[in-house]
Amino acid sequence: VQLQASGGGLVQAGGSLRLSCTASGRTFRNYALGWFRRAPGKEREFVGAIGWSGKIYADSVEGRFTISRDNAKNTVYLQMDSLKPEDAAVYYCASRDRWYSRNERDYLYWGQGTLVTVSS
């Protein structure tokens, strides 16, 4: 599976961005997709994921971020609303079989990352 993340950019605090993660290779609908982020000087952290059993989000983004998927387009989206300066990071998408996980070690395939910058 190859993953391509896109949609990052510069946005003002309070604004919105939608990230996309497009997959190629195998049957997309069989996979869970996770979003992670790494801010400067920090470790990579879980943002949210979608899989066979539904969706989960980190507490820090719950209610502001929404994950959705379009299997026909082999794409998962991360809609980010009410962005805060602390959301600025490189965002990565990753995939694993079927079930979502908060643990990055459970994911086999990773995209290259897309940069989100939030100005205050």
Side-chain angles (χ1 to χ4, degrees):
V1 176
Q2 293 182 326
L3 302 174
Q4 179 75 35
S6 61
L10 172 64
V11 63
Q12 288 188 331
S16 299
L17 275 178
R18 189 178 76 162
L19 305 183
S20 299
C21 178
T22 301
S24 61
R26 297 175 66 178
T27 307
F28 180 72
R29 64 179 178 272
N30 292 338
Y31 282 81
L33 270 290
W35 286 98
F36 295 79
R37 66 186 181 188
R38 176 179 283 147
K42 296 186 177 181
E43 294 185 351
R44 189 159 56 190
E45 65 175 359
F46 173 75
V47 175
I50 184 169
W52 280 28
S53 52
K55 309 173 191 178
I56 53 171
Y57 299 94
D59 290 344
S60 59
V61 306
E62 181 80 53
R64 298 188 298 121
F65 290 11
T66 304
I67 295 175
S68 61
R69 69 190 299 165
D70 185 337
N71 289 334
K73 296 182 178 179
N74 282 7
T75 300
V76 169
Y77 303 99
L78 179 66
Q79 177 67 40
M80 305 186 296
D81 299 318
S82 302
L83 282 161
K84 304 176 181 180
E86 52 263 41
D87 294 319
V90 176
Y91 282 72
Y92 300 88
C93 61
S95 69
R96 67 185 303 267
D97 282 345
R98 301 178 183 176
W99 313 110
Y100 58 59
S101 170
R102 295 176 182 268
N103 189 339
E104 63 177 85
R105 295 184 179 87
D106 292 334
Y107 290 82
L108 297 178
Y109 306 101
W110 289 81
Q112 85 289 359
T114 185
L115 177 64
V116 172
T117 304
V118 183
S119 63
S120 57

Coordinates of all heavy atoms in Angstrom, one line a residue, residues 1 3 23-34 50-54 69-76 94-101 106-109:
V1 N 0.8 -1.2 0.0 CA 0.0 0.0 0.0 C 0.9 1.2 0.0 O 1.8 1.4 0.8 CB -0.9 0.0 1.2 CG1 -1.7 1.3 1.2 CG2 -1.9 -1.2 1.2
L3 N 0.7 5.4 0.3 CA -0.2 6.5 0.8 C 0.4 7.8 0.5 O 1.6 8.1 0.6 CB -0.3 6.4 2.4 CG -0.8 5.1 2.9 CD1 -0.8 5.1 4.4 CD2 -2.3 4.8 2.4
A23 N -4.8 6.3 -1.1 CA -4.1 5.0 -1.1 C -4.1 4.3 -2.4 O -5.0 4.4 -3.2 CB -4.7 4.1 0.0
S24 N -3.1 3.6 -2.7 CA -3.0 2.7 -3.9 C -2.4 1.4 -3.5 O -1.7 1.3 -2.5 CB -2.2 3.4 -5.0 OG -0.8 3.6 -4.5
G25 N -2.7 0.4 -4.3 CA -2.1 -0.9 -4.1 C -3.1 -2.0 -3.8 O -3.2 -2.9 -4.6
R26 N -3.7 -2.0 -2.7 CA -4.6 -3.1 -2.3 C -6.0 -2.6 -2.1 O -6.3 -1.5 -2.2 CB -4.0 -3.9 -1.1 CG -2.7 -4.5 -1.4 CD -2.0 -5.1 -0.2 NE -2.8 -6.3 0.3 CZ -2.4 -7.0 1.3 NH1 -1.3 -6.7 2.0 NH2 -3.1 -8.0 1.7
T27 N -6.9 -3.5 -1.7 CA -8.3 -3.2 -1.5 C -8.4 -2.2 -0.3 O -8.3 -2.6 0.8 CB -9.1 -4.5 -1.2 OG1 -8.9 -5.4 -2.2 CG2 -10.6 -4.1 -1.1
F28 N -8.7 -1.0 -0.7 CA -8.7 0.1 0.3 C -9.7 -0.1 1.4 O -9.4 0.2 2.6 CB -9.0 1.4 -0.5 CG -9.0 2.6 0.4 CD1 -7.8 3.1 0.9 CD2 -10.2 3.2 0.7 CE1 -7.8 4.2 1.7 CE2 -10.2 4.4 1.5 CZ -9.0 4.9 2.0
R29 N -10.9 -0.6 1.1 CA -11.9 -0.7 2.1 C -11.6 -1.7 3.3 O -12.2 -1.7 4.3 CB -13.2 -1.1 1.5 CG -13.3 -2.5 0.9 CD -14.6 -2.8 0.3 NE -14.7 -4.1 -0.4 CZ -14.4 -4.3 -1.6 NH1 -14.0 -3.3 -2.4 NH2 -14.5 -5.5 -2.1
N30 N -10.6 -2.6 3.0 CA -10.2 -3.5 4.1 C -9.3 -2.9 5.1 O -8.9 -3.6 6.1 CB -9.6 -4.7 3.4 CG -10.5 -5.6 2.6 OD1 -11.7 -5.5 2.8 ND2 -10.0 -6.3 1.7
Y31 N -8.9 -1.7 4.9 CA -7.8 -1.1 5.8 C -8.4 -0.1 6.7 O -9.3 0.7 6.4 CB -6.7 -0.5 4.9 CG -5.8 -1.5 4.3 CD1 -6.1 -2.2 3.2 CD2 -4.6 -1.8 4.9 CE1 -5.3 -3.2 2.7 CE2 -3.7 -2.8 4.4 CZ -4.1 -3.5 3.3 OH -3.3 -4.4 2.8
A32 N -7.8 0.0 7.9 CA -8.0 1.1 8.8 C -6.9 2.2 8.4 O -5.8 1.9 8.1 CB -7.8 0.6 10.2
L33 N -7.4 3.4 8.5 CA -6.5 4.5 8.3 C -6.4 5.4 9.6 O -7.4 5.7 10.2 CB -7.0 5.4 7.2 CG -6.6 5.1 5.8 CD1 -5.1 5.4 5.5 CD2 -6.9 3.7 5.4
G34 N -5.1 5.7 9.9 CA -4.9 6.6 11.1 C -4.2 7.8 10.7 O -3.5 7.9 9.7
I50 N -9.9 5.7 11.5 CA -11.1 5.1 11.1 C -10.9 3.7 10.6 O -9.9 3.4 10.0 CB -11.7 5.9 9.9 CG1 -13.1 5.4 9.5 CG2 -10.8 6.0 8.7 CD1 -13.9 6.3 8.6
G51 N -11.8 2.7 11.1 CA -11.6 1.4 10.7 C -12.9 0.7 10.7 O -14.0 1.3 10.7
W52 N -12.9 -0.7 10.7 CA -14.1 -1.4 10.6 C -15.1 -1.2 11.8 O -16.3 -1.3 11.7 CB -13.8 -2.9 10.6 CG -13.4 -3.4 9.2 CD1 -12.8 -2.6 8.3 CD2 -13.5 -4.7 8.7 NE1 -12.5 -3.4 7.1 CE2 -13.0 -4.6 7.4 CE3 -14.0 -5.9 9.2 CZ2 -13.0 -5.8 6.6 CZ3 -14.0 -7.0 8.4 CH2 -13.5 -6.9 7.1
S53 N -14.5 -0.8 13.0 CA -15.3 -0.7 14.1 C -15.7 0.8 14.4 O -16.3 1.1 15.4 CB -14.7 -1.3 15.4 OG -13.4 -0.8 15.5
G54 N -15.4 1.7 13.4 CA -15.8 3.1 13.6 C -14.6 4.0 13.6 O -13.7 3.8 12.8
R69 N -14.2 8.7 5.0 CA -13.5 8.0 3.9 C -14.4 7.9 2.7 O -15.6 7.8 2.9 CB -13.0 6.7 4.4 CG -14.0 5.6 4.7 CD -13.4 4.4 5.4 NE -12.4 3.8 4.6 CZ -11.5 2.9 5.1 NH1 -11.5 2.6 6.4 NH2 -10.6 2.3 4.3
D70 N -13.8 7.8 1.6 CA -14.5 7.6 0.3 C -13.8 6.4 -0.3 O -12.8 6.6 -1.0 CB -14.5 8.8 -0.6 CG -15.3 8.7 -1.8 OD1 -15.5 7.5 -2.3 OD2 -15.7 9.7 -2.4
N71 N -14.4 5.2 -0.2 CA -13.7 4.0 -0.7 C -13.6 4.0 -2.2 O -12.7 3.4 -2.8 CB -14.5 2.8 -0.2 CG -14.3 2.5 1.3 OD1 -13.3 2.9 1.9 ND2 -15.2 1.8 1.9
A72 N -14.6 4.7 -2.8 CA -14.5 4.7 -4.3 C -13.3 5.5 -4.8 O -12.8 5.3 -5.9 CB -15.8 5.3 -4.8
K73 N -12.9 6.4 -4.0 CA -11.7 7.3 -4.4 C -10.5 6.8 -3.6 O -9.4 7.5 -3.8 CB -12.0 8.7 -4.1 CG -13.1 9.3 -4.9 CD -13.3 10.8 -4.6 CE -14.4 11.4 -5.4 NZ -14.6 12.9 -5.2
N74 N -10.6 5.8 -2.9 CA -9.4 5.3 -2.1 C -8.8 6.4 -1.2 O -7.6 6.5 -1.1 CB -8.3 4.7 -3.0 CG -8.7 3.3 -3.5 OD1 -9.7 2.8 -3.2 ND2 -7.7 2.7 -4.1
T75 N -9.7 7.2 -0.6 CA -9.2 8.4 0.1 C -9.9 8.5 1.4 O -11.1 8.2 1.6 CB -9.5 9.6 -0.7 OG1 -8.8 9.5 -2.0 CG2 -9.0 10.9 0.0
V76 N -9.1 8.9 2.4 CA -9.6 9.2 3.7 C -9.3 10.7 4.0 O -8.2 11.2 3.6 CB -8.9 8.4 4.8 CG1 -9.2 9.0 6.2 CG2 -9.3 7.0 4.8
A94 N -1.5 6.8 7.9 CA -0.9 5.4 8.0 C -2.1 4.4 7.9 O -3.2 4.7 8.3 CB -0.2 5.3 9.3
S95 N -1.7 3.2 7.5 CA -2.8 2.2 7.3 C -2.3 0.9 8.0 O -1.2 0.6 8.2 CB -3.1 2.0 5.9 OG -2.0 1.3 5.2
R96 N -3.3 0.1 8.4 CA -3.2 -1.2 8.9 C -4.4 -2.0 8.6 O -5.4 -1.4 8.1 CB -2.9 -1.2 10.4 CG -4.1 -0.7 11.2 CD -3.8 -0.6 12.7 NE -3.3 -1.9 13.2 CZ -4.0 -2.8 13.8 NH1 -5.3 -2.6 14.0 NH2 -3.5 -3.9 14.3
D97 N -4.4 -3.3 8.8 CA -5.5 -4.2 8.5 C -6.7 -3.8 9.4 O -6.6 -3.9 10.6 CB -5.2 -5.6 8.6 CG -4.4 -6.1 7.4 OD1 -4.3 -5.4 6.4 OD2 -3.8 -7.2 7.5
R98 N -7.8 -3.5 8.8 CA -9.2 -3.5 9.4 C -9.4 -2.7 10.6 O -10.2 -1.8 10.6 CB -9.6 -5.0 9.7 CG -9.6 -5.9 8.5 CD -10.0 -7.3 8.9 NE -9.9 -8.1 7.7 CZ -10.1 -9.4 7.7 NH1 -10.3 -10.0 8.9 NH2 -10.0 -10.2 6.7
W99 N -8.7 -3.0 11.7 CA -9.1 -2.4 13.0 C -8.2 -1.2 13.3 O -7.0 -1.2 13.2 CB -8.9 -3.4 14.1 CG -9.6 -4.7 13.8 CD1 -8.9 -5.9 13.5 CD2 -11.0 -4.9 13.7 NE1 -9.9 -6.8 13.3 CE2 -11.1 -6.3 13.3 CE3 -12.1 -4.1 13.8 CZ2 -12.4 -6.9 13.2 CZ3 -13.3 -4.7 13.6 CH2 -13.5 -6.1 13.3
Y100 N -8.8 -0.1 13.7 CA -8.0 1.1 14.1 C -7.2 0.9 15.3 O -7.5 0.0 16.1 CB -8.9 2.3 14.2 CG -10.0 2.3 15.2 CD1 -9.7 2.1 16.5 CD2 -11.3 2.5 14.8 CE1 -10.7 2.1 17.5 CE2 -12.3 2.5 15.8 CZ -12.0 2.3 17.1 OH -13.0 2.3 18.0
S101 N -6.2 1.7 15.5 CA -5.4 1.6 16.7 C -4.8 3.0 17.0 O -4.6 3.8 16.1 CB -4.2 0.7 16.5 OG -3.3 0.8 17.6
D106 N 1.4 -0.1 15.4 CA 0.5 -1.1 14.8 C 0.3 -0.8 13.3 O -0.4 -1.6 12.6 CB -0.9 -1.0 15.5 CG -0.8 -1.5 16.9 OD1 0.1 -2.4 17.2 OD2 -1.6 -1.1 17.8
Y107 N 0.8 0.3 12.8 CA 0.5 0.7 11.4 C 1.7 0.3 10.6 O 2.9 0.5 10.9 CB 0.3 2.2 11.3 CG -1.1 2.6 11.9 CD1 -1.2 2.8 13.3 CD2 -2.2 2.7 11.1 CE1 -2.5 3.1 13.8 CE2 -3.4 3.0 11.6 CZ -3.5 3.2 13.0 OH -4.8 3.5 13.5
L108 N 1.4 -0.3 9.4 CA 2.4 -0.9 8.6 C 2.9 0.1 7.5 O 4.0 0.1 7.1 CB 1.9 -2.2 7.9 CG 1.5 -3.3 8.8 CD1 0.9 -4.5 8.0 CD2 2.7 -3.8 9.6
Y109 N 2.0 0.9 7.0 CA 2.3 1.7 5.8 C 2.1 3.2 6.2 O 1.1 3.5 6.9 CB 1.4 1.4 4.6 CG 1.5 -0.1 4.3 CD1 0.5 -1.0 4.7 CD2 2.6 -0.6 3.6 CE1 0.5 -2.3 4.4 CE2 2.6 -2.0 3.3 CZ 1.6 -2.8 3.7 OH 1.7 -4.2 3.4

